[in-house]
Amino acid sequence: MNSHSSTIPVSLRWVGDAAGHLDILDQTRLPAHLEWRACHDVDAVVEAIKSLRVRGAPAIGIAGAYGLVVAAAEAIRDGLASDAARAHVLARGELLACARPTAVNLRWAVERALGTITPLPPTASARDLAVALLAAARAIHDEDRELCAAIGRHGAALLPDGGILTHCNTGALATGGAGTALAAITTAWEQGRKIHVFADETRPLFQGARLTAWELVQRGIPVTVLVDAAAGHLLSTGRVQACIVGADRITAAGDAANKIGTYAIAVLARAHGVPFYVAAPSSTFDLSIESGADIPIEERAAAEVLAPLGVAAAPSGAAAFNPAFDVTPASLITALVTEHGVIQPVTRDRIAAVLGPGGRVTP
Ligand code: MRU
């Protein structure tokens, strides 16, 4: 069964030395087209993050870290002196960190990578900066593979046989490894468990239908796609034994922001006595925020709702409400699955105990 996993391409890759470029698998073109987009400047990386060519909280963090190397490569090309090169990288870093507001992984990864150039002497050249930033980005990327594997193992142990409902895409495409919630599902499958995945299509951008179903079909795992509005009927008729989703930001109290529609599934799961799990690495926790009400929720263009996949579905003149994420309160989450283990019950004390006082165990 594992033989299928090698067919899932990586979500992004660095090409060349420290003056090289970032290749992003263009997820807006999937599943029909497997196309790579070469990003030679920071504007291209920012555009790719904003337009969801690369998406998913861990993957945009990794893209942001590599984006800093692209910034340093710009400084090399432009022949900037040491101080100008450093100022350039810092300014471009802020642009990258702000490209999307909800996933805390993006700013976390950018700040962690920038932290590696702080101790370098003021005389460090643009190339010195690029070399240090590439090492930092590679470390974040490599670690994410390990985190995903650990989350997959911990999550698989929680999942029962039977129907598993998931939302959006939390697989290899959304991370630097095998995924978070989807890694739990694929790991359980690889362990020989009898699982059938139900993937919400995930309107308006169809990450569930286009990306999750594509990953699962590639792996030979049975998957059924449903319109988001069918989840209530599915749960009420006993066909779902557990729900598992990812997260873009989790507060100190355990409230979790994730793709729009997640909250509705959590409410439905509670109403029907079905466990609802949220899987995410420690870099998705933001312990500076107590309540989910304080998580910034990205609002996206009306066209995504009014003309899904480019096809007009509403009259011109109609307005659209298009929040990209919603918040599920900790009280509706059965357990959080992190690389350090399972947090259950979801309380501030259990989160602090598992993650440590700083929230993120990884440096
Ligand atoms: O807007 P997207 O597609 O980036 O939203 C992604 C999600 O909501 C995922 O569930 C989350 O980032 C976790 S990915 C492992």
Side-chain angles (χ1 to χ4, degrees):
M1 294 173 210
N2 208 5
S3 58
H4 294 277
S5 57
S6 58
T7 57
I8 309 289
V10 294
S11 49
L12 70 186
R13 63 189 178 203
W14 184 259
V15 180
D17 66 3
H21 70 273
L22 177 63
D23 260 2
I24 283 174
L25 179 66
D26 187 349
Q27 297 187 35
T28 66
R29 305 284 288 152
L30 286 170
H33 306 278
L34 198 65
E35 288 176 8
W36 290 89
R37 209 169 171 96
C39 298
H40 292 273
D41 54 50
V42 172
D43 289 347
V45 181
V46 169
E47 189 278 335
I49 294 172
K50 283 182 190 286
S51 62
L52 275 58
R53 299 185 199 286
V54 59
R55 47 146 299 283
I60 62 175
I62 297 163
Y66 281 124
L68 292 171
V69 195
V70 174
E74 287 174 340
I76 296 172
R77 279 202 302 276
D78 293 349
L80 298 186
S82 301
D83 49 352
R86 191 181 291 250
H88 177 79
V89 167
L90 292 177
R92 302 297 259 168
E94 194 48 34
L95 267 185
L96 288 160
C98 292
R100 291 189 78 190
T102 303
V104 72
N105 308 60
L106 177 55
R107 182 166 287 278
W108 169 82
V110 167
E111 287 181 356
R112 176 174 154 184
L114 283 175
T116 65
I117 61 167
T118 309
L120 296 184
T123 52
S125 67
R127 185 166 288 275
D128 294 336
L129 300 181
V131 167
L133 289 166
L134 180 56
R138 285 207 163 117
I140 291 170
H141 197 172
D142 290 346
E143 277 170 26
D144 198 58
R145 278 185 211 106
E146 302 300 317
L147 303 185
C148 287
I151 290 170
R153 282 194 302 275
H154 295 306
L158 289 175
L159 293 181
D161 283 5
I164 309 292
L165 177 64
T166 191
H167 192 68
C168 196
N169 171 266
T170 59
L173 293 168
T175 64
T180 57
L182 205 62
I185 291 172
T186 56
T187 302
W189 171 262
E190 285 163 4
Q191 290 170 351
R193 310 269 292 289
K194 304 279 174 281
I195 277 177
H196 185 99
V197 184
F198 291 102
D200 282 339
E201 62 179 4
T202 316
R203 291 214 171 193
L205 296 178
F206 298 93
Q207 290 94 328
R210 292 189 302 106
L211 308 176
T212 298
W214 182 74
E215 285 198 38
L216 292 171
V217 166
Q218 299 285 311
R219 289 178 186 270
I221 301 176
V223 56
T224 298
V225 176
L226 56 145
V227 300
D228 298 355
H233 178 63
L234 190 77
L235 277 148
S236 74
T237 49
R239 283 175 271 189
V240 176
Q241 278 59 58
C243 305
I244 187 164
V245 300
D248 285 76
R249 194 184 294 224
I250 303 173
T251 70
D255 298 345
N258 191 50
K259 178 53 55 193
I260 191 71
T262 301
Y263 169 56
I265 299 166
V267 171
L268 287 164
R270 174 60 54 89
H272 295 289
V274 171
F276 181 87
Y277 300 118
V278 175
S282 53
S283 52
T284 300
F285 286 74
D286 181 355
L287 300 192
S288 73
I289 292 181
E290 194 61 29
S291 160
D294 294 327
I295 298 176
I297 299 293
E298 176 184 7
E299 297 235 2
R300 295 186 58 86
E304 291 179 353
V305 171
L306 301 178
L309 301 176
V311 178
S316 61
F321 177 51
N322 190 14
F325 301 97
D326 57 25
V327 176
T328 299
S331 59
L332 292 177
I333 302 171
T334 309
L336 296 168
V337 185
T338 75
E339 72 271 27
H340 303 293
V342 172
I343 300 174
Q344 184 176 15
V346 181
T347 62
R348 183 181 301 97
D349 290 351
R350 287 297 307 144
I351 291 170
V354 172
L355 297 188
R360 298 174 186 122
V361 179
T362 45

